[in-house]
Every structure is written in C-alpha cells, then in structure tokens.
Amino acid sequence: MSTSLPSAAQSTPPRAEQSANPLIGAWSTPDGVPPYDRIRPEHYEPAFDLAIAAAREQSQRIANDPAAPTFENTIEAMERSGRELSRVANTFFTVASADATPANQAIQKNIAPKLARLSNETMLDQALFQRVDTLYQQRADLGLTPEQNRLLEQTHKRFVRAGAALPADARTRVAAINEELANLGVAFGQKLLADQKANDVFLSAAEVEGLPADQASAAAAAAEAAGKPGQYLFPATRSAAEPFLTAAPNRDAREKIWRAFTFRGDNDNANNTSAEIKRLVELRIERAKLMGAATHADFVLADSMAKTPSAAMELLMGVYTPALVRANEELRDIQALAAKDGVTDVQPWDWRYYAEQVRSERFALDEAQVKQYMPLDGIVEAMFETTQKLFGLTAHERTDIPAYADGVRVFEIREADGRKLGLFYADWFARPTKRPGAWMNSVRVPNGLLGETPIVVNNQNITPPAAGERALVSLDEAQTLFHEFGHGLHGMLSTAHYPSLSGTAVSRDFVEFPSQVYEHWITEPTILQAHARNAEGEPMPAEMLESLLKAQTFNQGFFTVQQLSSAILDMRLHQLTALPADFDAGKWEAAQLRELGVPEEIGMRHRLPHFSHIFDGGYSASYYAYTWAEAMDADGFDAFKEAGNVFDPELAAKLRREVYEVGNTRDPAESYRAFRGRMPTADALLRNRGLK
C-alpha cells in the first residue's frame, strides 16, 4: 500500500462525536499541514481506527473489482488508496519519534500491531496479488510509460517480498512474524529511550572544572530545570557525551559520562534490550527461511544496490583494514601524550580527550575556540546559501504554521522563480522525550498523481543553549545538519508522478548518497568564511579555518573503525542461520570485536544494546549503506572538484535532475551513472578519509 492515498470524501463520514477530532475530515490549516496546535494525544487512536478501516475497505474494493485488472483500476487505484491513513500516520510518527511522551508511547504501542495487521492483510491478499501478478506477467504488452512500468515492477516485488507468493501456511506464519517484529521494534525503542533518560548524569562543579563555558552553562541550566540547581546535567546522548569526552579534564567524570552513554540498553534493569534483540534476530532468521533466502542479510540485500552480503562485506573490509592500521598508529600517539599525564592505561573514555590534545598540537586547534565561530544560526544560513547556489532554492521562515513542539521552526522552500516547492520543519534541539540520533522523515511526499507538495522534517539532538546564549555546534554536528537537509532535499525535489516512487523511497544503500554528498559543502572555504563567525560577528581567522580543513582526516582511523565495526557486526549478526538457546548479544558482540581486532580503547559507534538503526529503524543488515553511499558521495563530489567549481551550475543541475528529482522511478545505479558517467570505486572514499 502506498504511503499516501484517497480523499476524505471516499471514506466513511465522521460521526457527530468524532467531528471535534481535528485529524478527521478536511484540514483548514495553511498549506494543509497537520493541525498540531489542536491535536491532543486522545485524538490519534480514533483517527487511526477510522483511517485503517477506510484503507482496508479501499484495498478490498480493488481486490474484488469484477472488472479485469488494468494498470488504472489496480496499480494506480492502490496509489490513490489509504490516503487518510498516510496522513494520520505521518502526522503521528513525526511526533512519536521527536516527542515520545508516555501518552505518545502508549499510542505507538497500541497502533503498531494494528498497522502490521493491515499491512499483512493487504500484502498477503491473494485476490489483490493475483491482479498485480496478472499485470506483471503482461507488462510488456500494456503500453506503459517507463515510470508506470517501474511502479508495476516495484509493486509486484513488494508483494512477493511480503510473502504473497508463498503457500497459505507460510503466509500465515509470515504475517504473525511481521506483527511480532513490529511490536518488538516499538519495545526496543521505548526501552532505549527510557534507559537513556535513566542514565542522566549529574556532576558537581569540581567535576566540570575546565569544561568550555558553553557546555558548562547548558548543563547547569539543564540541571536547574531538572530541580537540581548548582549541579550539571549531562543526558546520555551523543550530542552531550562526545563534546564532554573531548573537552573534560576530569578523568573520573569522563568515565561516568562514557559509561552512561555506552551502556544504554545494557544495564541490569527493566530497560535491558537483550531479550528484544534475541527475539528480533530469531524471527528475522525464520522469516528469511520462509522467503527462500539463506539469511536475513541475503533477503534484505537482494533489493539493494549491493545485491549480496559478500559485496557489502568486501567494501566494508576493504575500508576497515587500512582504517585499523591507522587507528593503531593513532593509539600510539594518544598513549604517548597520555603518559605525560601519568595515564599508562588508556581507556575508551580517554581517547577523545587525548585525541583532541594531539589535534591541538598538530594543527594548533582548540575545539572550544572553533565552536565559538560555529553558531547554529550561522550554519543554518550556510546550509540555505549552499542550497541557493546549487539549486536556486531559497528558504523563508513561516510563523503561521503550527508546530508539534516548542523550538520547531518551519520554512517555506521556494524555487528561483518564487514558486513554492514545499515546507521544511526543523527540529534541531534535544529534548528528554526525543529518540537518539538524527533523521529526516516526510509528512507528505511530492507527487503528480494527487497533486501534493512535500512536507519534510529534520531532527537532530543539539544541546540547547542556556537562556540568552547562542547555540554552538561542532563541525561534526554541522555536517549532520547538512546531511539531514540533503535527505530533505531528496524528499522535496522529487518529480515522480506516483507517491510510492517519490523522494527517498529508494534502496537503503542509495538513499544516503544525496544526503552524504551534500555534507561536502559545509567544508567549502567560501561557505565557512561567510557564515562561521563569533559573537562579535568576526569571521573565523584564516589560519584557524586552514587548520580546521587540514584536520579533516585527523583521527579517521578511530572514527572509521568505530563506524565499520558496527556495520560489520550488523552484517554478521544477520548472516546467522540460527541462534543458540543461550545467545547473549553482549557476549557475542565482545567475541566479534576481539576477532576483528578492534582496540578496546575504541569500541563501536553503536553497540548492539542501543543500535536503534538495526532494531528499531529499518537498517537491519543495511548499516553498511552509509559506507556504500560514501563511495558514491566522495566520487560524486570529485566531479565538482574536477569541474574547478564546487558550485558549477551545469553539474549542480545534473545532480538535481539525475539524482534528487528521480526518486525510485528507475534503478539507482542508472541514476548514479547518469550523473557521474560511471559507477564509483572505493578509492575516492579512502582518499576522503585520508586512508590512502
């Protein structure tokens, strides 16, 4: 079923007692946005129930149509169906991830099995599948356009991969597995968020001595808001932990923060995620076998650019091996410097601190000083200027659009000629109820069939500043800002006619290319020179900027080993064909890291107990996609460097036309070749990370 489908007029009219529900019926909001200013938690479940019933009725109407199947009465009709459900679901899940209050978590827990059940009913419906399959077998004689043919092929593939072609007993089991997997994903995410909150660390003034002022003041404000004035609160989030580990001189305090962050989901309490992990993997193994695949990884990658786990692993190991050599060199540098402080047993909570000292010595850089020239508002301006220079798009803040939480900003994105492209919701700051990480999602996808304009959302977890102070970001956070907006552009610029092929509805190992290639422009000197400014409005000194850019490949052994060890373990875990009864995720993880030779001082970027990408985020057997896409983004950005102008208008227009606009209307490899003229190799990636 499409993520976007039928008008309100097609569904059952709301009863009188439902008329007060702002989710039901027509929305009279500006641009038809969700009426977040009027929605209350109690509105969601009744709206879901009505929308699910409508979607079920619409699907059954298509399946039982007495007329012979045609593209219009089957495939296109499916694209039009379920529109109310798409609208309600996208409205809710935008909030469920960004503001996971107890009420929203309860709704998600109740709704997940209902949505899984509807998906199973639709995708395993034999009458509906037979109509799709009949058209698929006849596709060469239907006179379809290339996009229509692609939609038919992709729709047929979704049904087959959902199990529609299996015998009845296998279909029944797949349906049960899908429903249980949906419930387990919700449980994993909710436990992780609860454990993250439970791992808040309160430090004393002595423990934060020597910490940069912006970090200390933000932590003091957070502690006061939590009812503990005089203390300093550090949540167990990456945006709080990594800057602290980089800058805090107090080694014991660093250990507290590191343990709080690293052991999320792995504590001896009700929020331990080990049971969910084991069951998720067991069910994925069973489903893969039912689907005729050797492993879950084989099943997932059959619908990707990589095609096979061996191809993905070949790339991962080709990058991991030189990265490990570099990481061990970096470790020796860190050990030598730490020894001067009397630290002879470097621990994981020491790496970032001493790496920063090495970087400071080698490049004359002080992270705290660099951040003074990296205000969030300035980086946002840099992002929008980049977009204008590349694609002619401009951003205009809208204050008339209701947002779902305090601090969310809304921008109207316009074409160079003033035409409205879509709306962009920016939710950049951390809150206790926001899930970890950074992400983009669509509230509405652009498409010609329904005449809809896009609404995209970006989320990040930047530490909010103390009252009256500027929000400052690290270069890594600035790159993440650009990365997520790259996803946003991919979601907004699509010219696909059909919703199911629009925007980011592409394979996991291609979806990261448009976002990752966009990251490169944050380190374009002209962009930083214009927008990296301190509180007095002075630009970043030329020597600081030069050092910052030179230091881009510093510590890349550490970062690459951290990231790729997570990707390798994801792939290995999902290539298992069975789990022992006493399977323990923590012990298995430790054994794998020893075999890979990952230094204990480095560890993984995402440990299994909190690896939400693969247990609650759709990236199971797909975390390799970031590295796969990096081979493309490094090679793709090389095209701009080869052109002698990173804002080359012809090349930018080609990138937009061949990548950002096409969505899933053709094979992603074809899209990359149309832009670059050939497929990439890992060479540009290795150069990009300074590993070659």
Side-chain angles (χ1 to χ4, degrees), residues 344-637:
T344 57
D345 59 332
V346 171
Q347 297 294 328
W349 49 88
D350 296 318
W351 188 292
R352 288 179 181 273
Y353 179 74
Y354 285 107
E356 179 61 19
Q357 309 308 307
V358 174
R359 189 178 80 131
S360 180
E361 280 189 4
R362 192 167 297 172
F363 299 99
L365 280 175
D366 181 331
E367 179 68 18
Q369 288 300 313
V370 170
K371 286 184 71 174
Q372 296 303 313
Y373 291 90
M374 299 283 282
L376 174 61
D377 286 346
I379 301 305
V380 170
E381 291 172 2
M383 183 177 78
F384 289 145
E385 182 186 341
T386 298
T387 307
Q388 184 172 15
K389 284 188 171 184
L390 287 172
F391 306 128
L393 305 177
T394 57
H396 309 267
E397 189 153 12
R398 293 276 298 269
T399 57
D400 61 326
I401 302 292
Y404 55 84
D406 291 340
V408 178
R409 300 170 66 185
V410 184
F411 298 86
E412 181 179 299
I413 307 300
R414 298 176 190 165
E415 296 280 10
D417 61 7
R419 286 180 297 117
K420 184 189 303 178
L421 176 66
L423 295 175
F424 168 62
Y425 286 54
D427 189 357
W428 290 313
F429 291 112
R431 64 178 65 90
T433 52
K434 183 184 283 190
R435 74 171 172 86
W439 64 94
M440 167 268 183
N441 66 275
S442 290
V443 177
R444 193 169 64 207
V445 298
N447 64 90
L449 181 70
L450 304 171
E452 293 178 322
T453 56
I455 303 173
V456 302
V457 184
N458 275 182
N459 269 275
Q460 208 163 329
N461 271 281
I462 296 168
T463 300
E469 296 188 13
R470 302 187 307 161
L472 303 176
V473 298
S474 65
L475 182 59
D476 182 64
E477 288 173 319
Q479 289 170 325
T480 300
L481 195 83
F482 270 58
H483 176 102
E484 298 306 333
F485 194 62
H487 280 308
L489 289 171
H490 195 193
M492 285 188 284
L493 287 169
S494 177
T495 58
H497 185 70
Y498 295 103
S500 290
L501 300 178
S502 181
T504 59
V506 297
S507 62
R508 289 291 188 190
D509 49 10
F510 186 72
V511 77
E512 297 301 334
F513 168 56
S515 57
Q516 290 181 189
V517 74
Y518 193 78
E519 286 182 44
H520 287 270
W521 276 277
I522 183 55
T523 50
E524 165 55 28
T526 59
I527 290 294
L528 284 174
Q529 286 163 356
H531 300 287
R533 295 176 177 269
N534 65 13
E536 288 71 44
E538 299 166 339
M540 182 180 290
E543 58 274 16
M544 180 184 288
L545 176 58
E546 183 181 359
S547 294
L548 184 66
L549 296 178
K550 283 183 178 179
Q552 280 295 283
T553 58
F554 174 74
N555 210 30
Q556 279 299 314
F558 168 84
F559 290 122
T560 305
V561 168
Q562 272 214 326
Q563 181 188 5
L564 267 62
S565 59
S566 296
I568 292 166
L569 263 65
D570 166 39
M571 194 61 69
R572 286 184 174 184
L573 182 66
H574 289 111
Q575 285 183 284
L576 295 176
T577 56
L579 286 186
D582 61 348
F583 176 81
D584 179 276
K587 291 178 180 177
W588 184 87
E589 174 190 283
Q592 297 298 312
L593 294 179
R594 284 194 299 271
E595 183 183 323
L596 282 169
V598 176
E600 291 183 4
E601 297 88 346
I602 294 179
M604 301 168 69
R605 181 170 178 83
H606 303 286
R607 292 193 58 230
L608 294 181
H610 56 246
F611 205 167
S612 56
H613 282 80
I614 67 172
F615 296 124
D616 183 33
Y619 272 76
S620 62
S622 294
Y623 193 67
Y624 81 93
Y626 290 94
T627 306
W628 188 275
E630 190 179 345
M632 289 187 286
D633 82 64
D635 180 66
F637 191 70

Side-chain angles (χ1 to χ4, degrees), residues 81-153:
S81 68
R83 190 178 180 188
E84 298 103 320
L85 180 55
S86 172
R87 189 174 67 160
V88 173
N90 292 343
T91 298
F92 172 70
F93 286 109
T94 293
V95 177
S97 296
D99 193 20
T101 61
N104 286 337
Q105 288 187 322
I107 295 164
Q108 188 176 9
K109 190 172 183 179
N110 292 338
I111 289 300
K114 294 181 181 180
L115 293 175
R117 204 167 300 131
L118 175 67
S119 177
N120 284 331
E121 290 174 10
T122 304
M123 302 308 293
L124 300 178
D125 185 308
Q126 291 301 283
L128 190 58
F129 175 58
Q130 284 305 316
R131 294 181 70 86
V132 173
D133 190 54
T134 296
L135 293 170
Y136 179 75
Q137 302 303 331
Q138 299 172 349
R139 64 191 184 282
D141 302 318
L142 297 178
L144 302 178
T145 67
E147 183 175 347
Q148 288 174 330
N149 193 63
R150 176 74 172 174
L151 177 61
L152 174 54
E153 290 176 345

Side-chain angles (χ1 to χ4, degrees), residues 168-324:
D169 57 344
R171 292 199 305 272
T172 300
R173 181 58 190 146
V174 166
I177 289 172
N178 288 341
E179 189 168 332
E180 188 174 353
L181 286 171
N183 293 333
L184 286 165
V186 171
F188 180 93
Q190 293 189 353
K191 281 189 172 186
L192 177 56
L193 184 60
D195 212 38
Q196 177 177 291
K197 179 60 180 171
N199 280 12
D200 281 351
V201 178
F202 289 89
L203 298 179
S204 66
E207 289 175 305
V208 300
E209 188 175 342
L211 201 64
D214 65 297
Q215 287 190 49
S217 61
E224 186 166 356
K228 295 190 177 182
Q231 296 188 48
Y232 298 80
L233 169 58
F234 294 89
T237 62
R238 190 175 301 280
S239 62
E242 290 185 351
F244 186 92
L245 294 171
T246 300
N250 189 306
R251 193 183 188 207
D252 290 340
R254 291 201 305 269
E255 182 178 357
K256 288 182 183 179
I257 298 294
W258 180 85
R259 290 190 179 281
F261 178 67
T262 302
F263 285 90
R264 293 168 298 149
D266 194 22
N267 294 298
D268 187 16
N269 58 30
N271 298 320
N272 189 288
T273 60
S274 59
E276 283 74 19
I277 291 172
K278 181 181 179 183
R279 187 60 180 154
L280 279 161
V281 176
E282 286 175 339
L283 290 172
R284 288 169 179 172
I285 290 171
E286 182 183 356
R287 185 176 61 180
K289 290 178 180 177
L290 287 168
M291 298 301 298
T295 68
H296 178 69
D298 286 278
F299 176 69
V300 169
L301 270 71
D303 190 27
S304 70
M305 289 186 75
K307 303 301 182 189
T308 65
S310 60
M313 285 295 289
E314 182 179 0
L315 174 65
L316 290 175
M317 296 308 297
V319 179
Y320 175 80
T321 301
L324 183 60

